[in-house]
Amino acid sequence: MAGQTLYDKLWSQHLVKERDDGTALIYIDRQLLHEVTSPQAFEGLRLAGRKPWRLDANLATPDHNVPTTVKERAEGNAGIKDPVSLIQVQTLDDNCLAFGIEEFKINDPRQGIVHVVGPEQGATLPGMTVVCGDSHTATHGAFAALAHGIGTSEVEHVLATQCLLAQKMKNMQVRVEGKLGTGVTAKDIVLAVIGKIGTAGGTGYAIEFAGSAIRDLSMEGRMTVCNMAIEAGARVGLIAVDDTTIDYLRERPFAPSAGQWEAAVADWRNLVSDTDAVFDKVVELDAAGIEPQVSWGTSPEMVTGISGEVPDPSEAADETVQQGYARALEYMGLKPKQKITDIKLDKVFIGSCTNSRIEDLREAAKVARGKKVAGSIALAMVVPGSGLVKRQAEAEGLDRIFVEAGFEWREPGCSMCLAMNADKLGAGEHCASTSNRNFEGRQGYGGRTHLVSPAMAAAAAIAGHFVDVRRLAGEPQSAQEA
Ligand SMILES: CC(C)[C@H](C(=O)O)[C@@H](O)C(=O)O
Ligand code: SF4
């Protein structure tokens, strides 16, 4: 019998029952909750007169609707001006209190984007099944956890039973071998993968990211890669356990305590695909060939390297692609064959569950240090993914680097990743964004999103247009482009 993939192992370890038609019931170890997709789930419990099955399997924090300025945050929930946003956040607080679920509230230093908070707390551990009413739950797969987003009725089901109806996925391996060039990051890897396989390339698969370039990444980088598996169509992204995983988790608040640590680690070491495991599909990429990426269109697959140009729709393979490209160019206000470096920006957003961890902020700060945000940029903001990331960044002096350069230093939350709070793009504005989605209107009605890495976003803020961050490395500090 052929060996098992990491996904096969995680699946079989959590399988409660499987029917002949392929539907199965799996056990869920951890549920993360935020304010957008949990209200109806709690309401359902209430109507059915049920209680959560296992309180300590749940952890909640508000993120999508929280304001990010110090002034608004000083007022607590009352600082949320939008009435719907306020109701959502207040309802999460009320439900967590009523049902006895642990919550990091708006001004708790541990509050933040749910996908930053879970791993940071050690609430996401190798070998777990992790769910959340949020498509970017794939992020947690960086820890060899079987993690994916679920809908609100499933949130209720998991609260009530600790189980989930699921169907086994197929196995895909995305192997990235070799060394990344200087200035090229995890974000560029995952954008290049999506550029190659497309936004439907991973549909029906659990993607395991493997190869030397993936092993060389920090946990922060691995989370960035798994975070965007969903943008490649795969609900699950996975990375095998190694020393990097284990080192990251040591002494995290929710991680196994000293007495249980060694046993846990011994167990986690098995969370790798067997060498003779067979994948249904394998995709290979050469790390050395990956350039800093910039998305030009309205789907994450509409992406190219910084030395590239916007495509000419008339040269596209078939009519459907031609129409898609033409529509994207019109929305984005770009011309065929326009150089990526000629795209001017209005706003810059460094944040989101893709790129708001300490390493992301360090990379951006390295570029911003001693420089100034271009005068043509209306707003450049840095939004740490959690209160603890913010605190760490401040201890390292990163906040001062950003503020001196002209960036706004904000409070943690989803912020301008999606237009669900006060941080939004105006119609027609171009934004260099470290987030994960660039659909029409994603960051605000009529807003134009370009997905990039933190270093590329910082470089674009300084120049006012996209620049190759690799060329900035070692460049003398000057104001010539400011
Ligand atoms: C609001 C939430 C349900 C949504 C998601 O599922 O991903 C959001 O986080 C997003 O990024 O679009
Ligand atoms: S940061 Fe963006 S992608 Fe992540 S959970 Fe929030 S809205 Fe969704």
Side-chain angles (χ1 to χ4, degrees):
M1 197 181 106
Q4 285 186 299
T5 64
L6 171 56
Y7 172 68
D8 293 339
K9 291 182 185 181
L10 293 167
W11 174 265
S12 57
Q13 285 167 9
H14 291 86
L15 192 60
V16 176
K17 199 172 177 61
E18 188 163 20
R19 287 209 202 111
D20 291 341
D21 67 358
T23 47
L25 202 63
I26 58 170
Y27 185 78
I28 300 302
D29 298 307
R30 173 73 65 206
Q31 171 150 254
L32 300 165
L33 298 155
H34 65 60
E35 77 279 17
V36 183
T37 47
S38 64
Q40 292 89 341
F42 282 112
E43 194 50 30
L45 279 192
R46 226 176 243 120
L47 291 173
R50 290 177 192 257
K51 288 197 163 64
W53 184 263
R54 224 189 96 198
L55 283 177
D56 68 355
N58 297 283
L59 181 62
T61 190
D63 51 11
H64 289 70
N65 291 278
V66 297
T68 61
T69 64
V70 172
K71 187 164 165 282
E72 291 161 312
R73 287 291 272 263
E75 296 173 53
N77 286 358
I80 307 173
K81 296 293 172 283
D82 179 73
V84 178
S85 296
L86 174 58
I87 288 173
Q88 287 190 352
V89 175
Q90 190 58 51
T91 305
L92 181 67
D93 290 359
D94 296 346
N95 282 328
C96 289
L97 185 68
F99 287 96
I101 287 173
E102 179 157 17
E103 185 197 4
F104 300 154
K105 292 204 182 72
I106 191 163
N107 285 332
D108 186 306
R110 299 165 298 176
Q111 176 270 338
I113 306 171
V114 76
H115 309 305
V116 175
V117 169
E120 175 175 83
Q121 290 294 322
T124 300
L125 294 171
M128 276 185 166
T129 39
V130 179
V131 294
C132 175
D134 196 285
S135 59
H136 294 99
T137 309
T139 313
H140 308 261
F143 291 84
L146 174 50
H148 56 74
I150 55 176
T152 297
S153 59
E154 293 171 308
V155 173
E156 179 185 345
H157 193 278
V158 174
L159 279 170
T161 68
Q162 212 53 48
C163 287
L164 179 72
L165 278 174
Q167 205 139 29
K168 192 158 187 234
M169 303 169 198
K170 288 184 286 182
N171 282 288
M172 183 189 293
Q173 186 189 49
V174 171
R175 200 157 60 221
V176 193
E177 299 286 359
K179 287 244 174 285
L180 289 174
T182 315
V184 186
T185 67
K187 181 65 163 288
D188 304 302
I189 294 182
V190 71
L191 285 172
V193 169
I194 297 166
K196 185 177 168 110
I197 71 174
T199 50
T203 307
Y205 292 93
I207 299 182
E208 180 176 344
F209 296 94
S212 57
I214 300 292
R215 281 198 301 278
D216 284 348
L217 294 174
S218 64
M219 285 316 298
E220 284 84 352
R222 294 177 187 188
M223 284 188 257
T224 300
V225 171
C226 289
N227 174 273
M228 291 193 71
I230 186 68
E231 260 52 69
R235 293 175 68 211
V236 165
L238 283 169
I239 294 177
V241 166
D242 63 7
D243 290 342
T244 306
T245 327
I246 291 161
D247 291 345
Y248 177 96
L249 289 169
R250 197 171 275 121
E251 290 173 16
R252 301 262 164 193
F254 287 68
S257 53
Q260 297 174 318
W261 176 257
E262 295 305 329
V265 169
D267 217 39
W268 295 345
R269 294 267 182 209
N270 299 316
L271 295 170
V272 299
S273 288
D274 295 332
T275 43
D276 57 344
V278 178
F279 288 85
D280 300 294
K281 192 168 177 182
V282 176
V283 175
E284 286 173 291
L285 264 86
D286 171 21
I290 300 174
E291 276 196 288
Q293 303 283 302
V294 180
S295 76
W296 50 264
T298 50
S299 156
E301 71 184 15
M302 295 176 173
V303 67
T304 187
I306 181 66
S307 65
E309 51 186 34
V310 173
D312 183 342
S314 71
E315 290 171 9
D318 61 61
E319 213 178 310
T320 322
V321 183
Q322 279 177 16
Q323 285 168 359
Y325 280 14
R327 186 186 159 101
L329 261 53
E330 194 190 329
Y331 179 83
M332 294 296 289
L334 298 173
K335 292 188 199 64
K337 295 196 186 293
Q338 184 173 343
K339 287 168 100 163
I340 295 295
T341 47
D342 285 346
I343 301 175
K344 293 194 174 53
L345 283 323
D346 302 289
K347 286 185 178 158
V348 175
F349 169 59
I350 298 175
S352 89
C353 59
T354 316
N355 281 128
S356 64
R357 299 178 182 83
I358 190 67
E359 181 185 281
D360 302 313
L361 305 191
R362 284 181 191 139
E363 281 170 13
K366 219 191 293 170
V367 174
R369 180 190 289 274
K371 306 249 171 72
K372 291 274 180 245
V373 170
S376 56
I377 301 284
L379 171 67
M381 63 200 295
V382 185
V383 190
S386 73
L388 295 181
V389 170
K390 181 167 188 261
R391 191 179 276 182
Q392 173 70 25
E394 288 173 353
E396 296 179 19
L398 305 186
D399 59 321
R400 287 195 301 279
I401 295 175
F402 288 125
V403 171
E404 277 163 24
F407 288 85
E408 291 194 12
W409 178 243
R410 296 289 187 93
E411 301 294 309
C414 293
S415 183
M416 210 195 270
C417 174
L418 91 175
M420 229 180 233
N421 52 68
D423 307 334
K424 291 186 177 113
L425 285 187
E429 286 180 335
H430 285 268
C431 180
S433 176
T434 65
S435 56
N436 47 40
R437 288 189 172 152
N438 55 351
F439 311 146
E440 290 186 19
R442 169 73 178 180
Q443 295 187 286
Y445 180 76
R448 295 161 169 167
T449 304
H450 298 277
L451 304 174
V452 288
S453 73
M456 283 289 285
I462 308 300
H465 57 90
F466 286 115
V467 286
D468 191 338
V469 71
R470 295 172 298 181
R471 286 221 222 110
L472 295 186
E475 214 180 61
Q477 291 173 5
S478 78
Q480 76 196 28
E481 294 207 88

